[in-house]
Amino acid sequence: MHDLLPEDMHLWHRFEQTIRDVFSAYGFNEIRVPVVEKTELFARAIGDATDVVEKEMYSFVDRNGDSLSLRPEGTAGVVRAVLQNGLLYGAPLRLWYMGPMFRRERPQKGRTRQFHQVGAEVFGAVGPDAEAELLAMAQRVWRRLGLDELRLEINSLGSAEERAAFRTDLHAFLSGRKNELDEDSRRRLDRNPMRILDSKNPKMQALLGEAPLLHDFLGAESLAHFDEFRRLLERLGVAYVVNPRLVRGLDYYCHSVFEWVTDALGAQGTVCAGGRYDGLVEIQGGKAWPGVGFAMGQERLVELMRMQVAAEAEAPHVYLVMAGQGTVEDGLAIAERLREDVPGLRIQSNLGGGSFKAQFKRADRSGASLAVVLGEDEIRQGQATVKPLRSQEAQQQIPLDRLADWLKDWFKQAGPGMAGSC
Ligand code: ATP
Ligand code: MG
């Protein structure tokens, strides 16, 4: 368990405010559910043979003999609350939550026993439009926070019947290689062989390279769902890669599963994970309402924000691109004047020449938010081209005698520690 220290709170607040703004723009409403629930709620929803239920829950017996647990995740409690309060009548229902979760795992970098999740759930939507919009929403959060290096991996787990057929094949394959399995995997082999696919052990991952693929067991309906999911992501501009070995650690998933991952955090690189859980509401005693959702790991995302802020603190605000006859002479002089006129503005001039293309590459690598471009045309027309490097905004022509004022305004708005707007 860990403390959240005052020096980090501004990052937590910024993250949480961004969540509220973005989620409400998609019609999601917040729900707050208890931190403690009956143990059987989690056992039933998450699955008896999962790591979470088998060995990670903080459970205790209440004075009247009930077994209670600190919540290890948010979805089970939200489903219970939705059923208990009759909220499904407004389906499709869009809800989000935020708060601490508890799992007795081996503590390591990016993995603690109390951690915080933000989650979003959509109930009552059968089609992959729900998955696609959820992921567009997550992507908008990353963009607002300037986290542009996250990679989306997706896969399909198919229906329960398809998974059962796959499970039989997988079990046969793994039983044949039993002496190569690590201790964890051997324990899982008979109880829950699909969990072995989620092993973090590189040796297991190598072995699994030869295992049967779930994709080969999918029927026409599941394939159609997955194809439509991919088509919608493409249409919404959400880039993804299919990872045919992606499974989820909790039992309730079917069809679409996905993870947003980063290479910047070492081994614990998943910052948001989720998928479709059509059977879960029924397991909890409701009708067969479909559901889909995700949970973000707040500590890992705040860590990425911290790294981003540190990188921005070093990066120039403006990279000056100068290509063509006479542009360096004028450009360096203009840069000098701008440093006088806009206090605090960090301008990195391109030194050593190079084509526009080569200079833009350097500009990008510098981390600058803006490129100010001076070519022969610009000098002749007495203006500069200003090109945002970290957002989709259009470039603009600014007369040279107004450039200092324009940058002053931009600097005031973007602030010294911001990588441009979104
Ligand atoms: P993993 O495979 O890394 O154990 P998981 O499948 O258990 O992840 P989920 O239950 O899907 O993870 O949780 C969603 C997200 O919550 C994770 O991607 C991660 O960012 C975060 N998370 C999960 N467990 C922890 C933990 N013990 N400490 C910090 N963050 C966590
Ligand atoms: Mg886990």
Side-chain angles (χ1 to χ4, degrees), residues 172-371:
F173 168 83
L174 292 169
S175 304
R177 313 281 293 259
K178 197 165 176 181
N179 45 9
E180 296 167 59
L181 297 182
D182 64 14
E183 197 190 314
D184 246 4
S185 302
R186 235 176 265 174
R187 194 169 45 80
R188 286 168 175 162
L189 181 58
D190 292 322
R191 289 200 69 186
N192 194 353
M194 278 189 54
R195 287 287 287 119
I196 299 176
L197 297 178
D198 202 25
S199 168
K200 307 278 187 287
N201 179 346
K203 270 202 203 125
M204 289 302 97
Q205 283 305 328
L207 174 76
L208 290 165
E210 295 157 41
L213 275 179
L214 180 45
H215 190 83
D216 299 330
F217 290 75
L218 299 186
E221 222 172 288
S222 295
L223 287 172
H225 189 106
F226 194 45
D227 287 347
E228 176 72 357
F229 177 32
R230 296 173 56 172
R231 210 178 56 77
L232 286 167
L233 286 178
E234 282 154 28
R235 185 65 207 280
L236 295 180
V238 181
Y240 64 85
V241 288
V242 175
N243 173 357
R245 314 237 166 243
L246 179 69
V247 292
R248 304 283 322 123
L250 315 182
D251 268 359
Y252 50 55
Y253 290 104
C254 62
H255 293 295
S256 321
V257 287
F258 46 79
E259 286 192 2
W260 292 91
V261 292
T262 173
D263 298 322
L265 294 177
Q268 315 305 330
T270 303
V271 295
C272 175
R276 179 165 281 280
Y277 48 84
D278 289 347
L280 182 61
V281 178
E282 203 175 5
I283 291 174
Q284 301 286 26
K287 281 196 226 145
W289 281 95
V292 47
F294 63 61
M296 297 176 176
Q298 230 176 315
E299 277 78 2
R300 295 180 193 179
L301 285 160
V302 165
E303 181 59 24
L304 283 182
M305 288 170 70
R306 197 198 330 271
M307 290 160 73
Q308 175 81 11
V309 168
E312 279 166 12
E314 307 283 312
H317 302 110
V318 173
Y319 192 95
L320 182 59
V321 172
M322 301 166 285
Q325 194 85 40
T327 54
V328 172
E329 234 177 283
D330 283 1
L332 291 181
I334 290 168
E336 281 304 302
R337 246 190 356 257
L338 290 174
R339 292 189 187 101
E340 292 293 326
D341 292 347
V342 193
L345 187 71
R346 288 193 296 273
I347 308 176
Q348 191 167 310
S349 308
N350 183 77
L351 298 180
S355 64
F356 276 116
K357 196 170 158 213
Q359 294 195 36
F360 271 112
K361 240 190 211 157
R362 283 182 217 149
D364 202 44
R365 235 179 298 140
S366 77
S369 306
L370 293 179

Side-chain angles (χ1 to χ4, degrees), residues 1 41 85 161 171 233 263 363 394 400 405 417:
M1 316 264 174
L41 172 78
N85 296 286
E161 298 77 45
H171 185 263
L233 286 178
D263 298 322
L400 287 176
D405 284 339

Side-chain angles (χ1 to χ4, degrees), residues 103 105 110-112 115 117 200 248 270-271 273 295 297 300:
R103 296 183 195 176
E105 309 198 59
R111 201 177 280 289
T112 50
F115 58 99
Q117 285 184 336
K200 307 278 187 287
R248 304 283 322 123
T270 303
V271 295
R300 295 180 193 179

